[in-house]
Amino acid sequence: MKSGFRWWIIGLIAIATVINYIDRNALAVMWPEVAKDIGADKEDYALLVTIFMVFYALGQSIFGKIFDVVGTRMGFAISIVVWSLSIAAHSLVRSMLVLGVLRAALGVSEAGNWPGAAKANATWFPRSERAFAQGIFNAGASLGAIVSAPLIAILFGFVGWRTTFVIVGVFGFLWLLPWVWVYKSDPDAHPWLSKAEREHILGANEAAGGPKAAGYAPSMGQLLRHRQAWAVMSGRFFLDPIWWLFVSWLPIYLNESFGFDVKQIGMFAWVPFVGAMAGSLSGGWLSGKLIQRGWSTDRARKSVIALGCIIMLPALLLTATAATPLYAVLLIAAILFGFQVAINNIQTLPSDWFGGGAVGSLAGISGTAAVAGTLITTWLVPAMTKTSFAPIFILGAALVPLSLICIFIGGRIQPVQPDTQDQGA
C-alpha cells in the first residue's frame, strides 16, 4: 500500500466523530416529539443533559485507561459498539427512567472517541504531523454538528423518532466493518504499511528525542505528579466550556436574542461550525509547518495556541454587543475558529509530553476536567442570561487567558522522562 496509510486511519476516526455527534444530537432535534410520547418536559430535558455530561466526564477517564490497556483497535471497537447499542435502544424508551439510563450509557461510551483519537495520533504520527492529524479528527466534530440537525430532521420526517434512533445506531456498526479490517495492528507491525512510512512514523519520533509508541507509561498517581499533566487538565478545564457554550446554547441564544423560530435557527446555526472546521484544519497545519521549518515543538505549539486565544478573546467581547443575527453568527464563527486552532494543539500535548505510554490516560482525565468546567458553565448560563447573553460571553472571554496561562505553566514542551516529577521538563 502506498505511503500515506496513516491518513486513512485518522480519516476513519474523523468519520467516527461525525457519527458520534449525529448520535448525541439526535435526542435534542427530536425532543418535542419524544417528550410528547413519554410525558416529559423541559426540566426533564435539562436533567438528561446533566446526566449525559456527568457520565461523559467519567467516560473520558475510564476509556483513557481502557485505550492504554487494550490498544487503539479494540478500544474504538468497544466504545462504538456500546454507544451504537445505547442510541439504538432509545427507540424502546417509554419512561424518563429508562431514557436517563440510556443517556448515561451513551455519555460513557461516546467519551471514548476523544482519548482514542489522541492515542491513535500519538501512535501513528510523528511530532510534526500530530496537530494537523488532530485537526482532521476535530473537523469531524464540526462536520457532525453541521449535518446532524438536518439529517435527523429528514429521517424523522420519513420514519418517526423511534426508527430514526435505530438507523443512527446502525451507522456505528457500519463504521466498525472497515475499522476492524483496516486497523490490523499498530504501525510497528501493520502488514499494509510500507517500510518508508513505518520508518517515517517510528524513526521520526525517535530522532526527535521522543519515546516510541509504548513510551513512558506512568501510573495514574505518577502521572498526576507531573505539572505537565495538570497544565493540560487545567487548560482544558478553562477552554472547553467555550465550545460547549455554543454547541448547547446557540439555538436558544438565537431564539431569545433575535426571536428566531426553528426554521430560522436551521438557516443560521450551522454557520459557526464551518469556522470551527476551518480552524481545526488550519491550526494543526500551521504548527506542523512551523516545526518542519525548524521551530521547536515548544515554540510552535505555544505560538499557535496563543494565536487561537488572541482570535477568540475580542470576538467573544464583540459578540456580547452584537446587534444583528448575521453579525453574531459570523463573530461566533470566528470564536470557534480560534477555539479549534488552540484546542487542536492543546490536545496534542499529551503525546508531546508522554508519547504513547500515557497519552490515553492523560487525554481521558483532561477530558474529564474539560467536562467539569463545562458543567459549571452550563449551570451558570440560566442565571446569567435572564436579560441578555452578554454576561456569559464576557465570562467566556475571561476564561481564555486563564487557559493560556495554564499551558505556559506546564513548562517546556518536550518528552517527560521517568525521573522527571513535578519540576517540569
Side-chain angles (χ1 to χ4, degrees):
M1 186 165 284
K2 293 181 179 180
S3 178
F5 181 73
R6 64 197 182 279
W7 299 107
W8 287 93
I9 297 294
I10 203 66
L12 273 174
I13 295 173
I15 293 171
T17 311
V18 174
I19 296 171
N20 187 294
Y21 263 73
I22 292 172
D23 287 9
R24 75 174 59 181
N25 290 339
L27 180 64
V29 176
M30 299 187 292
W31 177 249
E33 290 299 319
V34 175
K36 185 190 304 181
D37 287 354
I38 69 172
D41 55 26
K42 185 178 180 181
E43 286 70 26
D44 291 324
Y45 180 73
L47 175 62
L48 292 172
V49 172
T50 300
I51 290 171
F52 178 88
M53 293 302 295
V54 168
F55 280 88
Y56 187 77
L58 294 173
Q60 292 271 350
S61 293
I62 292 170
F63 268 96
K65 193 61 179 177
I66 287 174
F67 272 90
D68 281 339
V69 172
V70 305
T72 307
R73 184 176 190 257
M74 186 57 65
F76 264 107
I78 294 170
S79 177
I80 204 161
V81 165
V82 176
W83 99 49
S84 298
L85 288 173
S86 300
I87 195 66
H90 281 49
S91 64
L92 305 174
V93 164
R94 304 286 177 183
S95 68
M96 270 293 297
L97 176 61
V98 174
L99 187 52
V101 171
L102 290 175
R103 295 310 285 183
L106 187 70
V108 169
S109 52
E110 284 203 332
N113 199 67
W114 271 258
K119 179 80 171 180
N121 194 355
T123 304
W124 282 89
F125 291 90
R127 196 173 301 271
S128 62
E129 295 175 348
R130 286 178 189 163
F132 184 60
Q134 190 74 28
I136 293 174
F137 155 69
N138 276 336
S142 302
L143 182 59
I146 292 169
V147 305
S148 59
L151 175 62
I152 296 301
I154 291 170
L155 289 173
F156 170 78
F158 279 103
V159 299
W161 68 267
R162 293 188 185 276
T163 305
T164 297
F165 279 126
V166 174
I167 292 172
V168 297
V170 170
F171 291 162
F173 289 103
L174 292 176
W175 177 88
L176 196 60
L177 296 176
W179 175 256
V180 298
W181 179 60
V182 169
Y183 201 121
K184 298 181 181 298
S185 70
D186 288 342
D188 58 345
H190 201 292
W192 295 357
L193 206 58
S194 68
K195 180 181 178 181
E197 186 170 12
R198 182 175 287 111
E199 290 178 350
H200 173 72
I201 295 168
L202 303 179
N205 286 338
E206 292 183 75
K212 295 182 181 180
Y216 167 38
S219 66
M220 188 63 72
Q222 292 170 330
L223 185 63
L224 293 177
R225 289 200 293 270
H226 291 284
R227 67 171 176 169
Q228 293 90 343
W230 286 99
V232 179
M233 292 163 59
S234 56
R236 293 198 60 188
F237 174 86
F238 288 117
L239 199 65
D240 275 63
I242 295 172
W243 169 259
W244 287 100
L245 174 65
F246 296 105
V247 169
S248 301
W249 295 96
L250 179 59
I252 297 174
Y253 163 67
L254 292 173
N255 172 261
E256 294 187 359
S257 299
F258 303 107
F260 274 22
D261 58 23
V262 174
K263 183 178 178 181
Q264 290 170 312
I265 289 170
M267 292 174 60
F268 277 78
W270 60 273
V271 174
F273 296 98
V274 176
M277 186 158 43
S280 296
L281 298 173
S282 59
W285 172 85
L286 179 58
S287 66
K289 182 61 67 174
L290 293 174
I291 292 171
Q292 291 172 4
R293 290 185 176 180
W295 287 37
S296 68
T297 302
D298 179 77
R299 183 185 177 195
R301 294 276 193 261
K302 288 178 179 176
S303 295
V304 178
I305 292 169
L307 174 63
C309 291
I310 290 170
I311 294 170
M312 271 187 285
L313 198 155
L316 278 159
L317 293 174
L318 289 171
T319 304
T321 61
T324 67
L326 179 60
Y327 184 45
V329 297
L330 291 176
L331 283 170
I332 296 170
I335 294 166
L336 297 186
F337 176 89
F339 174 86
Q340 289 293 346
V341 167
I343 202 66
N344 277 314
N345 286 274
I346 292 173
Q347 288 175 336
T348 65
L349 296 180
S351 59
D352 289 333
W353 270 320
F354 292 96
V359 64
S361 296
L362 181 51
I365 58 175
S366 63
T368 298
V371 176
T374 299
L375 282 173
I376 294 171
T377 306
T378 299
W379 296 330
L380 289 174
V381 169
M384 296 182 67
T385 60
K386 290 181 178 179
T387 58
S388 166
F389 270 74
I392 203 70
F393 293 143
I394 294 170
L395 173 63
L399 296 176
V400 173
L402 292 175
S403 177
L404 186 60
I405 290 169
C406 291
I407 297 302
F408 276 81
I409 287 175
R412 185 170 179 80
I413 301 172
Q414 62 185 32
V416 174
Q417 301 303 322
D419 61 345
T420 304
Q421 300 300 319
D422 60 347
Q423 285 77 28

